[in-house]
Amino acid sequence: MSNRRAALALGGALLLAGCDLAPTYKVPTVSVPASYRDTVIWHTAAPADTAPRGDWWKSFGDPALDKLEDELNRQNITLATAAANFDQARANAAEAEAGLFPSFGVQGGISKTQYTNNSSHRDLLKAHGLVPDFIARNTLAGGLRYEFDFWDRIHNQIAAGEAAAQATGADLAFLRLSLQAELANDYLLLRGLDAQEDLLRHTVEAYKQAYDVADNRFKGKISPAMDVTRAESQLESAHAQLDDIAARRALAEHAIATLVAIPAPAFSIPPSLATIHLPKLPPAVPSTLLQRRPDIAAAERRVAASNALIGVARAAFFPTISLTASGGYQSTGLSNLFKWSNRTWALGQTAGDAITMPIFDSGRNMSRLD
């Protein structure tokens, strides 16, 4: 009768295999009007965060900017950290997927145990006239373990790991895009300062000539001293503006050095007045870019990962059933270790953890579910 009950219990557990305890995931939605009056401009958005972005900065047509962007992609420390986080997230997802398959290992050992004078085993052996100095135990065995995923705990861990990896990948894409844009912005600022500096240098030359004229006229008693003072003030003001632009250019240059991971003292960008071609931007860009923003995709993927983790937390309330098996050889000597009569095997867990189920955990599982 007990065997029949055990068979029925096992059969019931097998029928429940594949029972997913995670909530049905639905992509978060936003309430929007069903239609707009102007159907030419407005249309339903579609996620496009995986669309290729390419080397968008090349549209400016500046070889120096192209080189800096390449250095940023190779050397930026923050970007390298995000890439390492993405690799780690993918490894975690692969680790979770490994739980679907059996694990197999081999273990062996050579041991000798010396009996003490007050050992009960020694007294027993004395009674039979056998008193060895050492007891040897040599073992070589392989073991296999497989967990039945009745409650989809492992499958939900995989789903959560994959969604988390996708979110981390989107974080990497967003960070790369942000750093590339910051570099392009700093570079364009620097080139704008180059143009201002060139203009001010010409202005300083003109003010210097104006000052010389005013000074000569004053010395010739043709014009009053006020004209000299005014010309000198204009010249000094232009010199001050030139010094301010030089300082602002140095800050922009240092910012670019930080982005490309080069020490500022060892980094410099020669001034240039080369023409930068501004790309033509269509009027719909501000709205359609929302479809391609990886940070929005990352947020949605984290919602999906959290949803799957609810299933993992719920599965903790139910029994965990594992199949274990082991087999090998055990003997008191190495010479006869692989003798057929010294074989040993086991099916199931003698320690009693083939089937485990929580009874009282002080609310730990409930807290995890919450």
Side-chain angles (χ1 to χ4, degrees):
M1 189 66 180
S2 59
N3 292 336
R4 182 179 298 179
R5 290 179 179 177
L8 290 175
L10 180 60
L14 291 174
L15 290 175
L16 290 173
C19 180
D20 192 352
L21 301 178
T24 301
Y25 178 65
K26 296 180 180 179
V27 177
T29 58
V30 179
S31 177
V32 295
S35 61
Y36 294 90
R37 287 183 298 176
D38 194 340
T39 57
V40 177
I41 298 178
W42 299 98
H43 59 87
T44 303
D49 57 284
T50 58
R53 295 175 176 84
D55 299 339
W56 55 268
W57 57 86
K58 290 186 177 180
S59 59
F60 291 105
D62 192 305
L65 176 59
D66 297 344
K67 181 179 179 181
L68 289 171
E69 292 285 0
D70 291 340
E71 291 179 354
L72 179 142
N73 292 330
R74 293 194 312 267
Q75 301 174 175
N76 184 270
I77 303 302
T78 306
L79 195 60
T81 303
N85 290 336
F86 179 45
D87 291 339
Q88 183 182 22
R90 290 193 298 179
N92 290 337
E95 179 184 4
E97 188 174 2
L100 290 175
F101 305 96
S103 59
F104 178 79
V106 178
Q107 63 180 9
I110 300 176
S111 64
K112 285 187 177 182
T113 304
Q114 181 180 13
Y115 287 111
T116 60
N117 291 330
N118 57 357
S119 170
S120 58
H121 294 86
R122 186 179 181 87
D123 294 339
L124 181 61
L125 292 171
K126 272 186 176 182
H128 294 79
L130 299 173
V131 187
D133 294 329
F134 296 93
I135 294 295
R137 177 177 294 176
N138 305 308
T139 305
L140 180 63
L144 180 142
R145 187 179 187 277
Y146 177 72
E147 178 181 342
F148 295 98
D149 194 21
F150 289 144
W151 325 111
D152 269 1
R153 181 185 69 85
I154 299 176
H155 281 84
N156 282 319
Q157 282 182 333
I158 295 172
E162 290 176 347
Q166 292 169 355
T168 308
D171 289 339
L172 173 60
F174 178 68
L175 180 62
R176 179 184 290 112
L177 190 62
S178 300
L179 291 173
Q180 291 169 348
E182 179 65 26
L183 175 59
N185 184 69
D186 292 342
Y187 181 81
L188 294 177
L189 172 63
L190 183 138
R191 289 313 184 200
L193 292 173
D194 284 345
Q196 293 184 42
E197 184 178 18
D198 181 71
L199 176 61
L200 273 174
R201 289 190 183 281
H202 287 85
T203 302
V204 166
E205 292 177 2
Y207 284 164
K208 180 65 170 61
Q209 294 175 3
Y211 171 77
D212 291 340
V213 171
D215 186 56
N216 290 333
R217 289 174 63 85
F218 171 71
K219 290 178 179 179
K221 299 182 180 181
I222 300 176
S223 61
M226 182 179 297
D227 290 348
V228 179
T229 303
R230 185 184 297 113
E232 185 179 12
S233 176
Q234 288 179 336
L235 180 59
E236 292 301 326
S237 176
H239 275 299
Q241 293 180 38
L242 196 60
D243 292 339
D244 178 67
I245 286 181
R248 290 166 58 191
R249 188 187 190 280
L251 288 176
E253 199 173 55
H254 292 170
I256 294 174
T258 301
L259 288 171
V260 298
I262 298 177
F267 180 81
S268 64
I269 300 177
S272 174
L273 299 177
T275 302
I276 296 179
H277 305 281
L278 296 180
K280 295 181 180 180
L281 301 179
V285 161
S287 60
T288 55
L289 277 183
L290 290 175
Q291 302 175 148
R292 303 188 58 172
R293 280 180 51 174
D295 57 327
I296 297 178
E300 185 275 328
R301 288 288 81 201
R302 287 192 168 88
V303 174
S306 298
N307 187 85
L309 289 176
I310 294 175
V312 176
R314 286 177 175 172
F317 291 90
F318 295 89
T320 300
I321 302 176
S322 302
L323 173 65
T324 59
S326 63
Y329 294 90
Q330 182 175 357
S331 71
T332 58
L334 290 174
S335 59
N336 61 346
L337 175 61
F338 297 103
K339 190 176 180 180
W340 183 249
S341 59
N342 291 332
R343 69 188 184 280
T344 177
W345 62 273
L347 181 64
Q349 289 280 359
T350 57
D353 58 350
I355 300 178
T356 60
M357 181 174 180
I359 302 298
F360 178 74
D361 60 2
S362 301
R364 181 184 294 107
N365 285 336
M366 183 59 69
S367 298
R368 289 174 178 169
L369 177 59
D370 291 340

